[in-house]
Amino acid sequence: MADTTAKREPDTVETDELTQKVKRAKTDSKNGRGEVGDEFETDVLSGFQSSAVLSDSGREKTIFIRGKLADEDAVVILEKTPIREDTLAELFTGSRLKLEMKNDIYSTYRLQPPPHLNEIKTTVVCPATEKHVKKYQRQESFLVEETGEDYKTITLPYIQKQSFSVQWVLNILEKKAEADRIVFEDPDKDVGFVLLPDFKWDQKQVDDLYLIAITHQRNIKSLRDLTSDHLPLLQNIFQKGKEAILQRYNLPASKLRVYLHYQPSYYHLHVHFTKLGYEAPGCGVERAHLLADVIQNLQADPQYYKTRTLYFPLRADDGLLSKFKEAGRL
Ligand code: M7G
């Protein structure tokens, strides 16, 4: 995960009303994968044997751990979630307080909230590949300069062999997973897409809203494949994605950051919708391309993303970085 500082600015819209509009995820009974919901799968992590901390952050309150789950390699991500305004009354009345120190007008406590207000968002990747381990490991990054020619001779051959499986994306499009999390769908095979919460978002508050729009078209790998032929698709995602978010979360387009990653981790075209002010991982200028800019660039030059030099960061042990080095491009 890219470095980030998770600053949150106060919402200008009524938080209570918005919080109520945010629908909680329900268990996806169809795929039986025990996703977020009201049911408990208490034993899933009891056999997890951690072997290394890949990265952690006191500021973001996250820890990424590598280990074994039933003899398979696994990565477990733990993240403390924001304190929600609508839980404050219960937090104050239903918690136990332990005094740590008192001095004049100052006192500090350890507050032990009821368990349901003390949840930790947990993501499990199992079986995890070596590539997942690298993705979550804290590492130095290097900015790469990729010409249109570099893409053809270095990047494309590499991603054709080495990229992450997009099975989870196909599961979403085919309603084999996360079907009940879908916020909006346009089923058209050319310009259609599925909009749903990114798995980084627990959907409990709109302050860190994060959705992704996944295209029904399956042959578009990334920004580099886009030409003016894709303008109807991109405009459709932009327009209908914003409308759906306004309707469901009461968040206007002026509060959204809508962008594509280059390089993405998953080479099936998708667009990120995050709340402005929430510094989502990977929203920096070295990786995020605003969808509004992408549309304008393609309107001005149909081959813009085939010919332009694009810049992006790669981690020290990313195989693609070695390919750029071998080609003398770094
Ligand atoms: P990306 O730009 O390809 O890579 O975005 P990144 O992960 O380096 O940002 C893929 C997006 O899909 C990310 O924001 C992920 O958090 C999200 N994502 C990944 N997986 C495996 C899933 C999943 O299974 N379900 C959902 N809903 N989102 C996912």
Side-chain angles (χ1 to χ4, degrees), residues 18-24 201 203-206 249:
L18 288 176
T19 312
Q20 277 157 20
K21 283 184 186 255
V22 177
K23 297 212 169 141
R24 279 173 165 232
W201 185 36
Q203 303 182 77
K204 294 202 171 146
Q205 57 284 308
V206 288
Y249 304 104

Side-chain angles (χ1 to χ4, degrees), residues 1-2 35 123 125 132 135-136 164-165 167-169 172 177-178 181 196-201 210-212 214 259-268 270-272 274 281-282 287 315:
M1 198 175 278
E35 293 175 4
T123 308
V125 184
H132 286 106
K135 175 175 163 78
Y136 294 123
F164 280 124
S165 159
Q167 188 56 51
W168 67 273
V169 173
I172 289 171
E178 305 188 51
R181 287 160 47 88
L196 81 168
D198 192 284
F199 77 169
K200 287 202 282 277
W201 185 36
Y210 200 144
L211 293 113
I212 40 171
I214 300 173
Y259 55 97
L260 292 87
H261 276 157
Y262 194 75
Q263 300 285 333
S265 295
Y266 303 96
Y267 289 86
H268 175 120
H270 56 274
V271 176
H272 302 250
T274 60
R287 195 158 174 234
R315 283 145 188 271

